[in-house]
mmCIF file of all heavy atoms in Angstrom:
data_model
loop_
_atom_site.group_PDB
_atom_site.id
_atom_site.type_symbol
_atom_site.label_atom_id
_atom_site.label_comp_id
_atom_site.label_asym_id
_atom_site.label_seq_id
_atom_site.Cartn_x
_atom_site.Cartn_y
_atom_site.Cartn_z
ATOM 1 N N VAL A 108 -116.631 101.677 -67.174
ATOM 2 C CA VAL A 108 -115.615 102.345 -67.983
ATOM 3 C C VAL A 108 -114.534 101.339 -68.376
ATOM 4 O O VAL A 108 -114.498 100.225 -67.848
ATOM 5 C CB VAL A 108 -114.950 103.526 -67.229
ATOM 6 C CG1 VAL A 108 -115.960 104.599 -66.904
ATOM 7 C CG2 VAL A 108 -114.252 103.065 -65.974
ATOM 8 N N VAL A 109 -113.676 101.740 -69.295
ATOM 9 C CA VAL A 109 -112.441 101.009 -69.561
ATOM 10 C C VAL A 109 -111.299 101.899 -69.092
ATOM 11 O O VAL A 109 -111.349 103.117 -69.253
ATOM 12 C CB VAL A 109 -112.274 100.622 -71.050
ATOM 13 C CG1 VAL A 109 -113.271 99.573 -71.446
ATOM 14 C CG2 VAL A 109 -112.386 101.821 -71.947
ATOM 15 N N PHE A 110 -110.287 101.316 -68.493
ATOM 16 C CA PHE A 110 -109.194 102.086 -67.907
ATOM 17 C C PHE A 110 -108.089 102.270 -68.928
ATOM 18 O O PHE A 110 -107.506 101.310 -69.431
ATOM 19 C CB PHE A 110 -108.650 101.369 -66.665
ATOM 20 C CG PHE A 110 -107.624 102.166 -65.930
ATOM 21 C CD1 PHE A 110 -107.978 103.304 -65.235
ATOM 22 C CD2 PHE A 110 -106.295 101.786 -65.929
ATOM 23 C CE1 PHE A 110 -107.034 104.048 -64.551
ATOM 24 C CE2 PHE A 110 -105.339 102.515 -65.247
ATOM 25 C CZ PHE A 110 -105.716 103.651 -64.554
ATOM 26 N N ASP A 111 -107.795 103.527 -69.246
ATOM 27 C CA ASP A 111 -106.740 103.874 -70.195
ATOM 28 C C ASP A 111 -105.561 104.430 -69.401
ATOM 29 O O ASP A 111 -105.585 105.563 -68.951
ATOM 30 C CB ASP A 111 -107.278 104.921 -71.184
ATOM 31 C CG ASP A 111 -106.228 105.397 -72.165
ATOM 32 O OD1 ASP A 111 -105.144 104.790 -72.222
ATOM 33 O OD2 ASP A 111 -106.511 106.374 -72.872
ATOM 34 N N ARG A 112 -104.543 103.609 -69.233
ATOM 35 C CA ARG A 112 -103.378 104.041 -68.471
ATOM 36 C C ARG A 112 -102.466 104.928 -69.293
ATOM 37 O O ARG A 112 -101.513 105.520 -68.777
ATOM 38 C CB ARG A 112 -102.613 102.841 -67.924
ATOM 39 C CG ARG A 112 -102.132 101.894 -68.960
ATOM 40 C CD ARG A 112 -101.496 100.658 -68.355
ATOM 41 N NE ARG A 112 -101.119 99.727 -69.397
ATOM 42 C CZ ARG A 112 -99.998 99.779 -70.096
ATOM 43 N NH1 ARG A 112 -99.126 100.735 -69.844
ATOM 44 N NH2 ARG A 112 -99.744 98.902 -71.026
ATOM 45 N N GLY A 113 -102.717 105.034 -70.587
ATOM 46 C CA GLY A 113 -102.056 105.995 -71.448
ATOM 47 C C GLY A 113 -100.565 105.801 -71.644
ATOM 48 O O GLY A 113 -99.833 106.762 -71.772
ATOM 49 N N GLY A 114 -100.088 104.592 -71.664
ATOM 50 C CA GLY A 114 -98.663 104.364 -71.885
ATOM 51 C C GLY A 114 -97.839 104.334 -70.614
ATOM 52 O O GLY A 114 -96.652 104.021 -70.653
ATOM 53 N N TYR A 115 -98.453 104.671 -69.485
ATOM 54 C CA TYR A 115 -97.736 104.606 -68.208
ATOM 55 C C TYR A 115 -97.848 103.194 -67.654
ATOM 56 O O TYR A 115 -98.816 102.478 -67.911
ATOM 57 C CB TYR A 115 -98.341 105.578 -67.192
ATOM 58 C CG TYR A 115 -98.414 106.997 -67.670
ATOM 59 C CD1 TYR A 115 -99.634 107.590 -67.953
ATOM 60 C CD2 TYR A 115 -97.260 107.758 -67.856
ATOM 61 C CE1 TYR A 115 -99.712 108.895 -68.390
ATOM 62 C CE2 TYR A 115 -97.331 109.063 -68.299
ATOM 63 C CZ TYR A 115 -98.557 109.617 -68.564
ATOM 64 O OH TYR A 115 -98.628 110.908 -69.007
ATOM 65 N N MET A 116 -96.863 102.789 -66.855
ATOM 66 C CA MET A 116 -96.926 101.487 -66.206
ATOM 67 C C MET A 116 -98.033 101.480 -65.165
ATOM 68 O O MET A 116 -98.282 102.486 -64.507
ATOM 69 C CB MET A 116 -95.601 101.163 -65.518
ATOM 70 C CG MET A 116 -94.497 100.806 -66.468
ATOM 71 S SD MET A 116 -92.913 100.492 -65.642
ATOM 72 C CE MET A 116 -93.343 99.471 -64.275
ATOM 73 N N TYR A 117 -98.702 100.335 -65.013
ATOM 74 C CA TYR A 117 -99.737 100.191 -63.987
ATOM 75 C C TYR A 117 -99.032 99.956 -62.654
ATOM 76 O O TYR A 117 -98.875 98.840 -62.183
ATOM 77 C CB TYR A 117 -100.669 99.028 -64.328
ATOM 78 C CG TYR A 117 -101.848 98.916 -63.415
ATOM 79 C CD1 TYR A 117 -102.941 99.745 -63.576
ATOM 80 C CD2 TYR A 117 -101.870 97.996 -62.380
ATOM 81 C CE1 TYR A 117 -104.029 99.657 -62.734
ATOM 82 C CE2 TYR A 117 -102.942 97.897 -61.538
ATOM 83 C CZ TYR A 117 -104.022 98.724 -61.724
ATOM 84 O OH TYR A 117 -105.102 98.636 -60.876
ATOM 85 N N HIS A 118 -98.582 101.055 -62.063
ATOM 86 C CA HIS A 118 -97.766 100.981 -60.854
ATOM 87 C C HIS A 118 -97.797 102.354 -60.199
ATOM 88 O O HIS A 118 -97.905 103.373 -60.880
ATOM 89 C CB HIS A 118 -96.331 100.593 -61.226
ATOM 90 C CG HIS A 118 -95.390 100.568 -60.073
ATOM 91 N ND1 HIS A 118 -95.413 99.573 -59.137
ATOM 92 C CD2 HIS A 118 -94.418 101.419 -59.703
ATOM 93 C CE1 HIS A 118 -94.475 99.822 -58.236
ATOM 94 N NE2 HIS A 118 -93.862 100.933 -58.556
ATOM 95 N N GLY A 119 -97.701 102.402 -58.893
ATOM 96 C CA GLY A 119 -97.584 103.678 -58.192
ATOM 97 C C GLY A 119 -98.833 104.521 -58.278
ATOM 98 O O GLY A 119 -99.923 104.099 -57.901
ATOM 99 N N ARG A 120 -98.692 105.747 -58.791
ATOM 100 C CA ARG A 120 -99.810 106.689 -58.834
ATOM 101 C C ARG A 120 -100.915 106.251 -59.775
ATOM 102 O O ARG A 120 -102.093 106.449 -59.496
ATOM 103 C CB ARG A 120 -99.309 108.079 -59.220
ATOM 104 C CG ARG A 120 -98.451 108.706 -58.144
ATOM 105 C CD ARG A 120 -98.106 110.126 -58.474
ATOM 106 N NE ARG A 120 -97.100 110.180 -59.535
ATOM 107 C CZ ARG A 120 -96.933 111.207 -60.349
ATOM 108 N NH1 ARG A 120 -97.698 112.266 -60.249
ATOM 109 N NH2 ARG A 120 -95.997 111.195 -61.265
ATOM 110 N N VAL A 121 -100.557 105.640 -60.905
ATOM 111 C CA VAL A 121 -101.567 105.175 -61.854
ATOM 112 C C VAL A 121 -102.390 104.055 -61.224
ATOM 113 O O VAL A 121 -103.626 104.029 -61.328
ATOM 114 C CB VAL A 121 -100.908 104.718 -63.168
ATOM 115 C CG1 VAL A 121 -101.919 104.135 -64.124
ATOM 116 C CG2 VAL A 121 -100.162 105.881 -63.818
ATOM 117 N N LYS A 122 -101.750 103.151 -60.533
ATOM 118 C CA LYS A 122 -102.443 102.065 -59.844
ATOM 119 C C LYS A 122 -103.319 102.610 -58.722
ATOM 120 O O LYS A 122 -104.441 102.138 -58.519
ATOM 121 C CB LYS A 122 -101.419 101.082 -59.278
ATOM 122 C CG LYS A 122 -102.022 99.877 -58.618
ATOM 123 C CD LYS A 122 -100.940 98.921 -58.147
ATOM 124 C CE LYS A 122 -101.538 97.731 -57.443
ATOM 125 N NZ LYS A 122 -100.492 96.804 -56.972
ATOM 126 N N ALA A 123 -102.841 103.618 -58.008
ATOM 127 C CA ALA A 123 -103.623 104.224 -56.921
ATOM 128 C C ALA A 123 -104.899 104.870 -57.459
ATOM 129 O O ALA A 123 -105.960 104.769 -56.832
ATOM 130 C CB ALA A 123 -102.786 105.264 -56.185
ATOM 131 N N VAL A 124 -104.826 105.516 -58.616
ATOM 132 C CA VAL A 124 -106.016 106.104 -59.239
ATOM 133 C C VAL A 124 -107.034 105.009 -59.551
ATOM 134 O O VAL A 124 -108.223 105.142 -59.250
ATOM 135 C CB VAL A 124 -105.637 106.876 -60.526
ATOM 136 C CG1 VAL A 124 -106.861 107.200 -61.342
ATOM 137 C CG2 VAL A 124 -104.899 108.149 -60.181
ATOM 138 N N ALA A 125 -106.569 103.919 -60.157
ATOM 139 C CA ALA A 125 -107.467 102.839 -60.556
ATOM 140 C C ALA A 125 -108.128 102.183 -59.350
ATOM 141 O O ALA A 125 -109.343 101.954 -59.339
ATOM 142 C CB ALA A 125 -106.696 101.799 -61.362
ATOM 143 N N GLU A 126 -107.351 101.888 -58.327
ATOM 144 C CA GLU A 126 -107.903 101.226 -57.150
ATOM 145 C C GLU A 126 -108.900 102.107 -56.410
ATOM 146 O O GLU A 126 -109.930 101.642 -55.938
ATOM 147 C CB GLU A 126 -106.777 100.777 -56.228
ATOM 148 C CG GLU A 126 -105.976 99.630 -56.810
ATOM 149 C CD GLU A 126 -104.804 99.235 -55.946
ATOM 150 O OE1 GLU A 126 -104.445 99.961 -54.992
ATOM 151 O OE2 GLU A 126 -104.208 98.191 -56.236
ATOM 152 N N ALA A 127 -108.607 103.407 -56.311
ATOM 153 C CA ALA A 127 -109.522 104.327 -55.644
ATOM 154 C C ALA A 127 -110.820 104.466 -56.432
ATOM 155 O O ALA A 127 -111.905 104.552 -55.836
ATOM 156 C CB ALA A 127 -108.866 105.685 -55.468
ATOM 157 N N ALA A 128 -110.732 104.470 -57.752
ATOM 158 C CA ALA A 128 -111.949 104.562 -58.583
ATOM 159 C C ALA A 128 -112.800 103.308 -58.429
ATOM 160 O O ALA A 128 -114.029 103.393 -58.365
ATOM 161 C CB ALA A 128 -111.574 104.794 -60.037
ATOM 162 N N ARG A 129 -112.159 102.147 -58.350
ATOM 163 C CA ARG A 129 -112.905 100.906 -58.136
ATOM 164 C C ARG A 129 -113.595 100.917 -56.786
ATOM 165 O O ARG A 129 -114.757 100.516 -56.657
ATOM 166 C CB ARG A 129 -111.968 99.706 -58.215
ATOM 167 C CG ARG A 129 -111.647 99.280 -59.606
ATOM 168 C CD ARG A 129 -110.953 97.930 -59.631
ATOM 169 N NE ARG A 129 -110.383 97.683 -60.937
ATOM 170 C CZ ARG A 129 -109.099 97.736 -61.203
ATOM 171 N NH1 ARG A 129 -108.217 98.018 -60.262
ATOM 172 N NH2 ARG A 129 -108.662 97.497 -62.427
ATOM 173 N N GLU A 130 -112.889 101.365 -55.754
ATOM 174 C CA GLU A 130 -113.480 101.405 -54.414
ATOM 175 C C GLU A 130 -114.637 102.400 -54.354
ATOM 176 O O GLU A 130 -115.579 102.192 -53.591
ATOM 177 C CB GLU A 130 -112.421 101.809 -53.383
ATOM 178 C CG GLU A 130 -111.406 100.730 -53.119
ATOM 179 C CD GLU A 130 -110.281 101.188 -52.202
ATOM 180 O OE1 GLU A 130 -110.372 102.309 -51.653
ATOM 181 O OE2 GLU A 130 -109.325 100.421 -52.047
ATOM 182 N N ALA A 131 -114.591 103.450 -55.154
ATOM 183 C CA ALA A 131 -115.653 104.456 -55.158
ATOM 184 C C ALA A 131 -116.860 104.020 -55.977
ATOM 185 O O ALA A 131 -117.879 104.698 -55.958
ATOM 186 C CB ALA A 131 -115.123 105.787 -55.677
ATOM 187 N N GLY A 132 -116.758 102.904 -56.724
ATOM 188 C CA GLY A 132 -117.923 102.371 -57.389
ATOM 189 C C GLY A 132 -117.851 102.210 -58.887
ATOM 190 O O GLY A 132 -118.813 101.730 -59.498
ATOM 191 N N LEU A 133 -116.753 102.574 -59.544
ATOM 192 C CA LEU A 133 -116.657 102.359 -60.986
ATOM 193 C C LEU A 133 -116.310 100.900 -61.277
ATOM 194 O O LEU A 133 -115.583 100.261 -60.517
ATOM 195 C CB LEU A 133 -115.571 103.255 -61.596
ATOM 196 C CG LEU A 133 -115.908 104.704 -61.843
ATOM 197 C CD1 LEU A 133 -114.754 105.402 -62.538
ATOM 198 C CD2 LEU A 133 -117.164 104.864 -62.667
ATOM 199 N N ASN A 134 -116.844 100.403 -62.380
ATOM 200 C CA ASN A 134 -116.574 99.024 -62.792
ATOM 201 C C ASN A 134 -115.659 99.015 -64.000
ATOM 202 O O ASN A 134 -115.982 99.576 -65.030
ATOM 203 C CB ASN A 134 -117.882 98.309 -63.159
ATOM 204 C CG ASN A 134 -118.813 98.209 -61.983
ATOM 205 O OD1 ASN A 134 -118.384 98.018 -60.868
ATOM 206 N ND2 ASN A 134 -120.099 98.363 -62.244
ATOM 207 N N PHE A 135 -114.501 98.378 -63.871
ATOM 208 C CA PHE A 135 -113.591 98.139 -64.985
ATOM 209 C C PHE A 135 -112.629 97.045 -64.636
ATOM 210 O O PHE A 135 -112.532 96.601 -63.527
ATOM 211 C CB PHE A 135 -112.847 99.399 -65.443
ATOM 212 C CG PHE A 135 -112.022 100.090 -64.405
ATOM 213 C CD1 PHE A 135 -110.688 99.791 -64.246
ATOM 214 C CD2 PHE A 135 -112.576 101.074 -63.601
ATOM 215 C CE1 PHE A 135 -109.921 100.444 -63.305
ATOM 216 C CE2 PHE A 135 -111.825 101.725 -62.663
ATOM 217 C CZ PHE A 135 -110.493 101.415 -62.511
#
Side-chain angles (χ1 to χ4, degrees):
V108 297
V109 291
F110 186 70
D111 177 11
R112 59 185 176 83
Y115 305 111
M116 286 178 45
Y117 187 79
H118 177 74
R120 292 187 286 155
V121 176
K122 184 177 178 181
V124 167
E126 290 176 348
R129 280 192 193 106
E130 288 174 8
L133 281 184
N134 297 323
F135 58 92

